Amino acid sequence: MSRASSRTSGGPESPAPPCRPRVALWSAAGAVGLGFLVALEIAAHRYGVPGPITIQTREVIFAPQSGTVLYAGLALLMVVLTWRQRFVAAAAAIAIDLVFWGMRHAAGAESMFGSGALWVTLGCAVIALTRRTGRERLLLLKGVGLALLLVAGRKTGYTWLMLTSRTRPTVLDPYVAAVDRALGDPSWVAGRIVEATGTVGFHVLEWVYIQLPVMAVVVALYQLRNVAAERRFPRHHLVRTFLVIGLLGPGIYMLFPVVGPIFAYGADGGQWAVAHLWPDTPPPVGTPQAMLFDGKTPRNCMPSLHTAWATAIFIHSRKGPRLLRWAGTFWLIATLGATLGFGYHYGADILAGVVFTLTIETALRAQAGGRYREGVRTAGYGAAVFAALLLAYRYLAGESAAHPWVAGPLLVSVTGSVIVAYVRTTVRWEREAAADATVQDVHLPAQRGGSRPAPEPVPEPERA
């Protein structure tokens, strides 16, 4: 029997070969991630800063830094569980937290919720290794890995911030402030607007700014809502983009250390500030030079990761229901208002953050969909624009301030070109994917039953 006939005869098909390239890719990524954590741990101890592994290990017993992040990780883990298992996991986490709270209160130690979520997450890892097999073990381990990666990303980011303040004694704020003159000093304008809104506007923006991870979890839970039923994760979701942004962003902080206008030009900078000008008076434009700053304030402005994360939330909320789309839009606008209005970022940071996110999102979508050629081209363009922005901020800051009507529109146009390239590429991918799905649906009924049914015999006419 030929191969073609064996496929349509309804007989059992040979099992598909394992996807070795994908396994090798994930193994390599895991090895690189582990090596990165170990290297960061060693560097942190060298500068007298607790590393991410040390912090996470201590939180098994001692009060965690953020219980919200630990419970957000547990929520991501629960997408692989049944409803009954979710209730059991949530009840166990709350019960363990109550026990730890009582013990710490009796000992007079600092108390914070979240230990129960961490213990349940680790318990699920043990269950996966000892009580599960095959695909069920792999699925549960993926859920545990997703939860722990979210927590590890937070710890890694904290360590990165401490290292930036220890290893970068000088900051480049005068350069970014000069570039912002070409953009109309948006941080100073937004700062005055926030002051005019009073305490209500301030508290709303502060709440949005702080609760950005919560909104990310809401969008991620919507994207992963079918994991328990389908027993598999989607190829691409928000958590992947969030983690890569948090992993790569702090590395740019080391290359381009900036503390922000409220520190370099505001009262929060104390004696290290150039002058207390923010948000009332834009800084004078001269020849920008690097300036010394204290060893405590993180150099975490370039690019704006809050803008990057809010942009990722906005992108991934586009496929959700109307309420989720509105929430994603609101979070992006409010986050931009908070980052500028609180004096944490310059306008140049915002542009770099948008380009940074779209470049990462394009690369991850291309990897998930197997569209490497177009993905490399579009992501490469975004990376080139991002590098050009940083070089322009550093070496053309004075010229940008001297010619604002040329530099300002040029910076915005270049950022807009990355947005257009991303939209065109992803829309084309979605159309092609929809067309492929339509073709498969058309041919699927004929393939389900193996060979096509034979036509009914035509009765012969009766003889007289």
Side-chain angles (χ1 to χ4, degrees):
M1 183 181 293
S2 65
R3 292 183 180 179
S5 61
S6 65
R7 289 195 193 100
T8 59
S9 61
E13 297 182 358
S14 59
C19 188
R20 293 182 179 178
R22 185 177 293 272
V23 173
L25 177 63
W26 283 109
S27 299
V32 170
L34 180 60
F36 172 76
L37 284 177
V38 172
L40 192 62
E41 184 77 18
I42 295 173
H45 281 286
R46 180 179 178 184
Y47 287 97
V49 177
I53 299 177
T54 300
I55 296 174
Q56 191 58 70
T57 303
R58 284 176 54 86
E59 289 187 354
V60 176
I61 302 298
F62 297 98
Q65 292 179 336
S66 176
T68 304
V69 174
L70 291 171
Y71 270 96
L74 180 60
L76 291 177
L77 165 61
M78 287 182 179
V79 299
V80 306
L81 304 178
T82 64
W83 279 107
R84 179 179 178 276
Q85 292 169 342
R86 291 170 186 172
F87 285 123
V88 171
I94 295 173
I96 293 173
D97 258 333
L98 291 175
V99 172
F100 269 100
W101 182 85
M103 295 171 58
R104 290 167 184 158
H105 181 73
E110 181 184 1
S111 184
M112 169 63 72
F113 69 95
S115 298
L118 179 59
W119 275 73
V120 170
T121 302
L122 297 176
C124 288
V126 174
I127 292 174
L129 295 174
T130 59
R131 304 291 298 276
R132 298 287 188 272
T133 58
R135 294 183 60 184
E136 290 300 317
R137 171 186 289 179
L138 183 60
L139 185 67
L140 186 54
L141 286 177
K142 283 184 177 180
V144 172
L146 199 64
L148 293 180
L149 279 174
L150 180 67
V151 177
R154 179 65 178 265
K155 309 305 179 188
T156 301
Y158 174 79
T159 303
W160 264 118
L161 294 182
M162 294 299 100
L163 287 177
T164 60
S165 61
R166 301 292 196 280
T167 60
R168 294 297 181 265
T170 59
V171 296
L172 303 178
D173 284 76
Y175 292 90
V176 188
V179 172
D180 255 29
R181 179 56 56 89
L183 298 173
D185 297 309
S187 181
W188 273 257
V189 175
R192 292 194 293 271
I193 293 175
V194 171
E195 284 189 348
T197 60
T199 58
V200 175
F202 178 87
H203 288 304
V204 169
L205 292 180
E206 182 184 39
W207 181 79
V208 170
Y209 190 85
I210 294 174
Q211 300 302 329
L212 182 68
V214 176
M215 184 60 197
V217 170
V218 170
V219 176
L221 289 178
Y222 174 79
Q223 292 180 321
L224 303 176
R225 66 193 183 281
N226 295 325
V227 171
E230 298 177 355
R231 312 311 293 167
R232 64 180 179 85
F233 279 87
R235 290 184 176 181
H236 182 55
H237 49 82
L238 176 60
V239 181
R240 299 175 78 230
T241 307
F242 237 69
L243 292 174
V244 175
I245 290 174
L247 179 65
L248 299 180
I252 311 300
Y253 295 164
M254 293 288 190
L255 300 176
F256 210 107
V258 181
V259 293
I262 196 172
F263 297 103
Y265 297 97
D268 288 17
Q271 61 180 350
W272 298 94
V274 174
H276 295 177
L277 303 175
W278 186 90
D280 300 318
T281 307
V285 177
T287 302
Q289 295 180 349
M291 55 182 287
L292 288 171
F293 214 78
D294 63 24
K296 298 180 180 179
T297 305
R299 281 65 164 148
N300 62 338
C301 281
M302 183 63 68
S304 169
L305 291 197
H306 260 78
T307 298
W309 283 320
T311 302
I313 291 173
F314 173 80
I315 292 172
H316 284 265
S317 65
R318 295 306 88 194
K319 298 299 181 181
R322 181 179 300 178
L323 181 60
L324 192 64
R325 296 197 303 269
W326 286 352
T329 304
F330 169 75
W331 235 267
L332 175 61
I333 296 174
T335 300
L336 294 179
T339 54
L340 293 172
F342 292 161
Y344 296 152
H345 289 282
Y346 302 90
D349 308 338
I350 305 299
L351 299 182
V354 172
V355 174
F356 186 67
T357 299
L358 296 181
T359 302
I360 292 174
E361 181 69 18
T362 303
L364 291 177
R365 287 198 175 195
Q367 181 271 330
R371 303 177 184 272
Y372 299 104
R373 180 177 298 180
E374 290 180 286
V376 168
R377 183 168 60 247
T378 306
Y381 175 69
V385 170
F386 181 76
L389 287 177
L390 295 187
L391 291 174
Y393 295 165
R394 178 63 177 81
Y395 298 105
L396 298 176
E399 289 77 4
S400 299
H403 305 282
W405 292 105
V406 176
L410 182 60
L411 292 173
V412 174
S413 299
V414 170
T415 304
S417 69
V418 176
I419 298 175
V420 171
Y422 169 81
V423 171
R424 285 181 175 177
T425 301
T426 54
V427 168
R428 182 166 60 252
W429 288 349
E430 291 173 358
R431 288 176 179 173
E432 293 174 356
D436 293 341
T438 303
V439 171
Q440 291 177 2
D441 290 341
V442 169
H443 291 286
L444 191 58
Q447 296 176 353
R448 282 179 178 172
S451 59
R452 294 185 178 181
E456 296 182 1
V458 179
E460 296 181 1
E462 298 181 358
R463 295 182 180 180

